[in-house]
Amino acid sequence: MMPAVALLSMMVMVAMTSTVAAGGRVTFPGKSAEDTTLTLRGLLTRPVGDGKMPAVVLLHGGGGMAEDRDAQWTQRLVAWGYVVLQVDSFRPRGQTVIGHDLRSIHPHTRGRDAHAGKSYLASLPFVDASRIGVLGWGHGGWSAIYAVSRDWRDGDAPPRKAPFRAAVAFYPFCQSRLVALDAPLLILIGELDDWALATRCERMRTENGSAHQVGLKVYPGAHHNFDWVGINRHEAGHRLQYDPAATTDSVEQVREFMARHLR
């Protein structure tokens, strides 16, 4: 008998195959934390069709690119009509996971990776450069927040000439404040998440020109990685557990949010 999780993943892939055009591994220029040139890697997937399409940059979690969760979300987004670029922030820097030091590759750096991915997408003839969003999980969700807001590293820098149109952060480590938020932000997190605390997100405030909406949905009884089908384990003392009800709702939340801002 095929395991239920594997069967589900195969069914999703088969159902989506007819919507996917050519894609594959790509490289594009980025910057290291020291501001030197770095070649980033990614996986590009696009829908079948002609004309310019909206796109989404995906930022993996602290464990690196997760084939089960990340691929499933890629297939959903492609089925909804989005070009998807999964950005690998770790392996180009000689790492596969981030380990216990969540700042060993700072989310500010990964926010810059997101913008490098955005620039790459904008250069493609089938992408509408004015309709690109970003979505991340865990450390990648934290990085997605940096991709649409500022911190002390930006100083008095002028507003970005080409900001993202929307950002989604799954169970991120929420900062105490959002400075000069330049795109709508949706945060989805579990009530019982003991790695990225929902209470931090509830206390987050916006300031300094942050005119865009911040949405927050806390799922009762849900843990970290609630949208990762089949996961149920402890890692570094934290509970990781799939929650089908939270996942179903989060899929609808993301679909509606992206449609509102990118379609």
Side-chain angles (χ1 to χ4, degrees):
M1 293 289 290
M2 182 179 292
V5 173
L7 178 60
L8 175 61
S9 296
M10 187 181 75
M11 291 171 61
V12 169
M13 292 297 291
V14 170
M16 300 293 189
T17 298
S18 62
T19 70
V20 180
R25 298 185 184 279
V26 297
T27 59
F28 50 95
K31 293 284 188 180
S32 69
E34 295 75 29
D35 210 33
T36 57
T37 301
L38 176 72
T39 299
L40 293 170
R41 305 175 191 171
L43 290 174
L44 181 69
T45 313
R46 58 165 295 195
V48 170
D50 300 320
K52 289 186 175 292
M53 308 173 189
V56 179
V57 172
L58 297 187
L59 301 176
H60 59 73
M65 296 179 75
E67 293 185 5
D68 293 343
R69 178 193 57 199
D70 301 11
Q72 193 166 60
W73 272 104
T74 293
Q75 296 302 319
R76 288 183 184 120
L77 289 161
V78 169
W80 297 338
Y82 300 98
V83 178
V84 175
L85 176 63
Q86 297 173 254
V87 176
D88 185 350
S89 290
F90 289 177
R91 281 178 288 189
R93 295 181 169 92
Q95 296 183 218
T96 55
V97 299
I98 207 156
H100 297 299
D101 182 4
L102 297 181
R103 296 177 186 269
S104 61
I105 299 177
H106 200 282
H108 179 271
T109 299
R110 296 194 63 201
R112 294 175 65 183
D113 289 354
H115 279 274
K118 181 181 182 299
S119 295
Y120 170 74
L121 285 169
S123 73
L124 301 176
F126 49 84
V127 170
D128 184 342
S130 68
R131 296 186 293 156
I132 302 178
V134 59
L135 181 154
W137 301 271
H139 192 275
W142 189 11
S143 303
I145 292 175
Y146 271 93
V148 296
S149 62
R150 306 296 185 88
D151 74 345
W152 58 268
R153 293 167 183 78
D154 296 301
D156 296 324
R160 297 183 182 98
K161 292 182 180 179
F164 281 101
R165 285 288 298 273
V168 177
F170 275 85
Y171 31 87
F173 181 82
C174 285
Q175 304 153 202
S176 60
R177 60 192 182 123
L178 291 171
V179 179
L181 188 71
D182 60 14
L185 170 64
L186 174 64
I187 299 172
L188 303 169
I189 195 167
E191 175 194 25
L192 301 183
D193 195 321
D194 59 359
W195 207 332
L197 303 181
T199 53
R200 288 187 60 91
C201 300
E202 291 169 336
R203 293 196 299 266
M204 180 181 282
R205 67 183 189 277
T206 60
E207 57 186 52
N208 191 21
S210 298
H212 293 279
Q213 179 184 6
V214 178
L216 170 65
K217 183 147 192 182
V218 179
Y219 291 104
H223 294 268
H224 201 70
N225 283 353
F226 64 77
D227 61 324
W228 191 328
V229 176
I231 198 167
N232 186 7
R233 67 172 188 260
H234 283 82
E235 186 172 308
H238 302 284
R239 180 71 176 275
L240 315 179
Q241 185 174 348
Y242 171 58
D243 187 308
T247 298
T248 298
D249 185 80
S250 71
V251 169
E252 188 61 20
Q253 292 286 331
V254 172
R255 188 191 67 79
E256 292 180 356
F257 182 77
M258 291 299 189
R260 188 181 322 130
H261 298 291
L262 300 183
R263 303 304 298 184

